[in-house]
Amino acid sequence: MKDVQFGELPYLKYDQYVRSCMYSPDGSSFAVVLYDNSIDVYATSNWERTWTLSGHSNSVYSIAYSPNGNRIASGSEDRTVRVWDVATGDCLFIFIGHTTYVNQVAYSSQGNVVASRSDDITIRLWDAGTGECRSTLSGYGYIYDMTFSPSGDNITFSSEDYRIRVWNVVSGECQSILIGHISRFNSTTYSAQGDLICVDESGAVSVWEVEARAYRHVVQPNGTPVISPKGNLFATLRRNGIELWDLATGECIRRLAIDKTGFSSVAYSPHGDQIVSSGSVDMAVRLWDVETGECRQTMTGHTEYVRKVLFSPKGHHMASVSDDKMVRLWNVGSRASRKISNHHSGGVTDLKYSPERNQIASCSSDSTIRLWDAETGVCSHTLIGHSDWVWKISYSPQGDQLVSCGGDFRVRLWDVESGACRYILIGHTNYVYDAVFSPQGNQIASASGDKTVRLWNVQTGECQHVLSGDAGMWVIKYSPQGNQIASAGAGGTMNLWDVESGVCQHTLTGHSGDIRGIGYSPDGNQIASASEDKTVRLWDVKTGTCSHIFIGHQEGAARVIYSPRGDQVASASRRDKTVRLWDLESGECRHTLVGHKKEIDAIAYSSRGDIIASWGDAGEARLWDVGSGECRWTLNYDESASLGGSLLSHNFVWTSSEADSFITGGVDGSVRAWEAVEEGDRCHVRMRWGLTNSQLVLEDACVQDVQGLSDLNRRLLKQRGATGEPNLRLREAGKKVMSMVSVVSKLKSSTSGTEAPN
């Protein structure tokens, strides 16, 4: 069962194109306009189709719900307007009078008048109760748009003479004419304050005081504007992104995206705090936070051009209409419970596991850190604060705090329980590439390209020592005892520092290339270094002398780790795509692990030391038997991009002492959980859960005899390929049944309860 996305509802699939769709004012009904001239009406409580409204003999161009949602008016190319009863599906009225296409229909706010606009250059006002034509507005040339005032007493329309007319519905007379523009208006709408907001053919937005018959100002953005519900902001679609403009000042206050994919449609939420957009190239639907400009969620599934996106009246749900003949429905949660997206929008640069909380922390080039439940894949917190790539993260020994560092020259200390940032540690003047806790948890060390290591007090956030070197520092490690720090990076030298005094005890020289990886032995008496000079060196910590030089890699060595027992060292080269296992006693290479087709970014021993994993963030992983050097399992999946700067990334972590589960991160922002099962001499690995662009991926999902599934959940899971039939009665499920209690909670993690879509 692949590609299930958080908040996804069952989609509506047709064998013909969908022209448009609309929610009723209370959100209980949803109408879909089809190319066969019919209108499908759905009840949003269960998304069952209640009626198909048929009667028009040609294309339906416009529909409108009455304010109470009981009726639908439809305007058609057949020159008629029809009024339908939503409860019964009956056609109540056929308004006849237009001599050509009806392009637009609208209800007044009281629901007593229906207005229709036609290519016959007229607007007709119909009595919604009797079906009689009350007025015909004509003589002004082609009419481009119309809208009722909030009170419903007036209807406003623009025409080809560049004027806007305000027509009193009750008296049937023109109340005022707004003059001043030299181009025609494409759309008009009223703000919450009662001002008239008009958009002309050039995209210029003007704000009119209707009673004074004058406009206050004109804003001329580039792009097609969409006005916010409050009328204080508007969004413009650009080829490379979305811009938000302040209508009062005429200034662009925020750019929500700079995206080469382009955008085809955009809509504000009813509260104006969110925007939904659709991509014209990637067909993705994106949810944006207006205040922060962050993309909260990316929803995929459409395969053709997305023509329209819209929110439900309460803003809890969204719909998207595409040329792929589908209407996709999404649950975005109540306003109070909305959270930012639960996936990374950039490549994962580091992963850490906290056994105390059974929690995974991931950081990314998208400047965020995310905390995940290792069992369920649910994202509990997204830590926001860094303004550039986050390179490394580290849990405190107690698991209650997390430190992060990145390209904004900052180190941040976070409370894991609340997700709050406790301290911002400022002092570095270049990228901070690594940050770690001391074994006691009372100190943090950070390494930077500014050639320094800084030691910070966890309780106060104060800098205790600045350790200065001769070149940029990329990696740091505390000794197991916590009394010493090793730092290395550019230039091929490694320094050993006394933690208490900040004095450099040894400067280890010998490498002729940059050092990419270092690691202490379990007893702390030895340290290993991996260098771009293709060698691995072992050093005596007390004397600073080099005891071994391991030669064998054909390209630079980037990773080095000790086995848990300390009798073996593993090294990996990204570019020669091999892992080598070195015996410490003899200094010989016991095994060269060959088979990777892509660059290797991470290696990790299992806690028992009998399995070693190698992983590349381009989508390749292998598990190796340490004793025999044989590959027990391999995974290859295509990643289209390479993570820039991944010489420092480490996106693999074991989550079990039995070497039967681990987590990986990808350049696509994905986080995936895997489970290994041994059967005889064979090893089988399957993905337990995976999150990619807000998708939950489950393998071999079976719903046979599952209890408690709602009809909506059942339909969604069946659409996504789950097998079997749920049982409405309580009885024991078979061995292959997966617990849908957890699955449903994951699929609905962004919402609460079982509230019906509206």
Side-chain angles (χ1 to χ4, degrees):
M1 185 181 69
K2 297 182 178 180
D3 301 327
V4 174
Q5 298 168 79
F6 287 105
E8 184 180 8
L9 296 172
Y11 51 74
L12 311 178
K13 185 172 179 59
Y14 288 95
D15 58 4
Q16 59 179 300
Y17 288 111
V18 176
R19 189 178 295 275
S20 185
C21 61
M22 178 179 287
Y23 282 95
S24 65
D26 64 357
S28 64
S29 174
F30 186 79
V32 179
V33 181
L34 301 171
Y35 265 66
D36 67 358
N37 315 327
S38 66
I39 304 165
D40 278 354
V41 181
Y42 291 83
T44 58
S45 58
N46 56 13
W47 287 100
E48 294 288 347
R49 183 167 51 198
T50 55
W51 304 107
T52 296
L53 311 180
S54 300
H56 283 294
S57 59
N58 217 321
S59 300
V60 177
Y61 287 144
S62 177
I63 61 171
Y65 274 94
S66 61
N68 59 15
N70 294 336
R71 294 183 178 183
I72 293 175
S74 56
S76 169
E77 189 177 344
D78 66 8
R79 301 177 291 182
T80 69
V81 176
R82 289 177 177 255
V83 177
W84 311 85
D85 188 297
V86 173
T88 65
D90 294 334
C91 180
L92 303 177
F93 297 107
I94 303 175
F95 299 157
I96 299 174
H98 286 295
T99 58
T100 186
Y101 307 163
V102 179
N103 292 322
Q104 185 182 3
V105 291
Y107 269 94
S108 65
S109 58
Q110 295 96 340
N112 60 334
V113 177
V114 174
S116 57
R117 179 177 62 86
S118 169
D119 271 2
D120 64 8
I121 62 176
T122 69
I123 291 175
R124 288 178 176 260
L125 304 180
W126 310 86
D127 189 295
T130 65
E132 295 180 357
C133 182
R134 297 172 54 172
S135 301
T136 300
L137 315 183
S138 62
Y140 313 111
Y142 192 84
I143 299 173
Y144 293 101
D145 190 50
M146 65 178 186
T147 184
F148 278 101
S149 63
S151 66
D153 294 334
N154 298 319
I155 188 167
T156 303
F157 60 91
S158 60
S159 57
E160 64 182 350
D161 62 1
Y162 306 156
R163 299 181 179 186
I164 297 173
R165 289 173 171 82
V166 181
W167 198 276
N168 187 277
V169 174
V170 178
S171 67
E173 296 178 352
C174 183
Q175 186 168 299
S176 60
I177 303 175
L178 309 182
I179 303 172
H181 272 268
I182 59 173
S183 59
R184 65 178 174 85
F185 292 96
N186 285 342
S187 65
T188 57
T189 186
Y190 280 90
S191 71
Q193 296 76 27
D195 292 328
L196 184 65
I197 302 173
C198 307
V199 181
D200 69 18
E201 60 185 343
S202 70
V205 182
S206 57
V207 181
W208 293 77
E209 296 179 10
V210 176
E211 292 186 3
R213 302 183 186 183
Y215 58 87
R216 292 200 301 269
H217 56 269
V218 177
V219 181
Q220 293 185 321
N222 294 317
T224 303
V226 178
I227 310 299
S228 68
K230 295 180 180 178
N232 60 327
L233 300 174
F234 62 90
T236 59
L237 285 174
R238 303 291 301 280
R239 184 175 63 179
N240 62 345
I242 302 172
E243 295 179 345
L244 295 185
W245 295 75
D246 188 301
L247 199 51
T249 64
E251 296 180 354
C252 179
I253 60 173
R254 190 164 295 110
R255 289 176 173 83
L256 297 188
I258 301 297
D259 198 319
K260 296 179 180 179
T261 64
F263 293 88
S264 57
S265 61
V266 66
Y268 273 95
S269 66
H271 305 290
D273 59 337
Q274 297 189 107
I275 281 180
V276 60
S277 68
S278 59
S280 59
V281 177
D282 64 2
M283 282 75 75
V285 176
R286 292 177 172 86
L287 184 66
W288 305 90
D289 185 283
V290 170
E291 183 177 353
T292 66
E294 182 184 8
C295 180
R296 288 177 166 178
Q297 194 170 353
T298 301
M299 295 153 281
T300 59
H302 284 301
T303 58
E304 298 289 344
Y305 188 85
V306 181
R307 295 198 170 274
K308 184 176 183 178
V309 288
L310 69 160
F311 279 93
S312 65
K314 294 182 181 179
H316 297 180
H317 300 86
M318 297 186 307
S320 55
V321 178
S322 168
D323 283 352
D324 62 10
K325 304 176 183 178
M326 296 180 69
V327 178
R328 288 189 174 267
L329 308 167
W330 318 91
N331 190 332
V332 294
S334 67
R335 188 183 185 193
S337 65
R338 286 177 192 144
K339 299 185 290 185
I340 61 173
S341 61
N342 51 9
H343 72 286
H344 286 295
S345 59
V348 176
T349 54
D350 196 19
L351 288 172
K352 290 295 189 296
Y353 175 63
S354 170
E356 290 78 14
R357 293 177 174 269
N358 195 27
Q359 185 182 75
I360 296 293
S362 62
C363 63
S364 167
S365 60
D366 68 4
S367 308
T368 69
I369 301 145
R370 298 176 192 266
L371 307 182
W372 316 83
D373 186 291
E375 181 64 28
T376 66
V378 173
C379 180
S380 59
H381 289 296
T382 298
L383 312 182
I384 299 175
H386 284 286
S387 59
D388 206 323
W389 286 40
V390 183
W391 290 111
K392 284 294 180 70
I393 48 177
S394 178
Y395 277 102
S396 65
Q398 298 77 22
D400 58 340
Q401 296 185 91
L402 189 79
V403 65
S404 62
C405 63
D408 59 0
F409 309 171
R410 300 290 187 265
V411 178
R412 286 177 175 260
L413 181 62
W414 308 86
D415 180 83
V416 172
E417 183 67 29
S418 66
C421 181
R422 291 189 56 210
Y423 293 114
I424 303 174
L425 310 180
I426 299 174
H428 286 297
T429 58
N430 206 321
Y431 295 161
V432 185
Y433 291 112
D434 202 1
V436 293
F437 278 95
S438 66
Q440 295 77 23
N442 61 342
Q443 190 180 72
I444 291 170
S446 57
S448 171
D450 65 6
K451 305 179 184 180
T452 69
V453 171
R454 288 177 176 261
L455 306 185
W456 311 87
N457 185 291
V458 170
Q459 294 299 318
T460 65
E462 295 179 353
C463 182
Q464 297 173 312
H465 293 293
V466 179
L467 317 178
S468 298
D470 296 327
M473 307 287 192
W474 294 341
V475 288
I476 48 175
K477 287 286 190 298
Y478 275 94
S479 66
Q481 296 78 19
N483 61 335
Q484 187 182 75
I485 289 177
S487 65
T493 62
M494 178 164 54
N495 294 313
L496 304 183
W497 310 85
D498 180 78
V499 170
E500 184 69 26
S501 64
V503 173
C504 181
Q505 298 173 321
H506 298 290
T507 298
L508 312 181
T509 60
H511 283 298
S512 58
D514 298 341
I515 297 175
R516 298 293 183 181
I518 59 175
Y520 276 95
S521 61
D523 59 13
N525 293 329
Q526 198 176 63
I527 192 168
S529 57
S531 170
E532 285 294 310
D533 66 6
K534 309 177 186 178
T535 69
V536 174
R537 289 175 178 255
L538 304 186
W539 311 82
D540 186 283
V541 168
K542 293 182 179 179
T543 65
T545 58
C546 179
S547 59
H548 289 89
I549 303 175
F550 297 151
I551 300 174
H553 283 296
Q554 302 303 305
E555 297 288 346
R559 299 286 180 264
V560 62
I561 53 173
Y562 279 85
S563 65
R565 292 191 296 269
D567 60 340
Q568 187 181 82
V569 165
S571 63
S573 169
R574 295 187 77 237
R575 291 187 294 275
D576 77 7
K577 305 178 184 66
T578 67
V579 177
R580 291 177 177 263
L581 306 182
W582 308 90
D583 184 85
L584 290 191
E585 186 174 346
S586 65
E588 296 179 355
C589 180
R590 292 183 54 191
H591 297 293
T592 300
L593 311 182
V594 180
H596 274 277
K597 306 299 182 185
K598 304 172 185 178
E599 293 182 341
I600 299 172
D601 292 289
I603 53 174
Y605 278 100
S606 64
S607 60
R608 293 180 302 194
D610 56 338
I611 298 290
I612 190 169
S614 54
W615 166 262
D617 63 18
E620 186 178 16
R622 290 174 180 263
L623 297 184
W624 309 84
D625 185 283
V626 170
S628 66
E630 294 181 356
C631 181
R632 302 288 305 279
W633 169 82
T634 184
L635 164 74
N636 283 280
Y637 68 93
D638 183 47
E639 291 283 11
S640 59
S642 172
L643 184 63
S646 57
L647 286 172
L648 300 175
S649 69
H650 195 288
N651 39 25
F652 179 101
V653 63
W654 291 100
T655 58
S656 167
S657 60
E658 301 300 319
D660 58 3
S661 59
F662 55 92
I663 307 287
T664 62
V667 297
D668 59 353
S670 64
V671 177
R672 294 174 169 93
W674 307 86
E675 183 176 63
V677 179
E678 292 196 30
E679 296 180 0
D681 59 351
R682 299 186 63 187
C683 179
H684 299 280
V685 178
R686 69 180 185 89
M687 185 170 59
R688 289 193 294 116
W689 52 261
L691 288 157
T692 308
N693 290 333
S694 197
Q695 295 176 353
L696 172 66
V697 182
L698 301 170
E699 295 293 339
D700 301 325
C702 176
V703 294
Q704 185 69 39
D705 300 325
V706 169
Q707 318 294 324
L709 277 183
S710 70
D711 183 62
L712 282 178
N713 288 326
R714 179 188 62 79
R715 287 167 57 195
L716 173 60
L717 295 175
K718 296 292 282 185
Q719 282 180 345
R720 289 306 192 180
T723 61
E725 290 296 332
N727 191 341
L728 299 180
R729 294 179 300 149
L730 183 63
R731 66 187 183 88
E732 183 180 358
K735 291 183 179 180
K736 285 185 66 85
V737 176
M738 75 182 289
S739 171
M740 294 310 301
V741 173
S742 62
V743 173
V744 172
S745 69
K746 298 171 206 171
L747 291 173
K748 300 170 65 179
S749 64
S750 62
T751 64
S752 59
T754 57
E755 181 181 356
N758 51 49

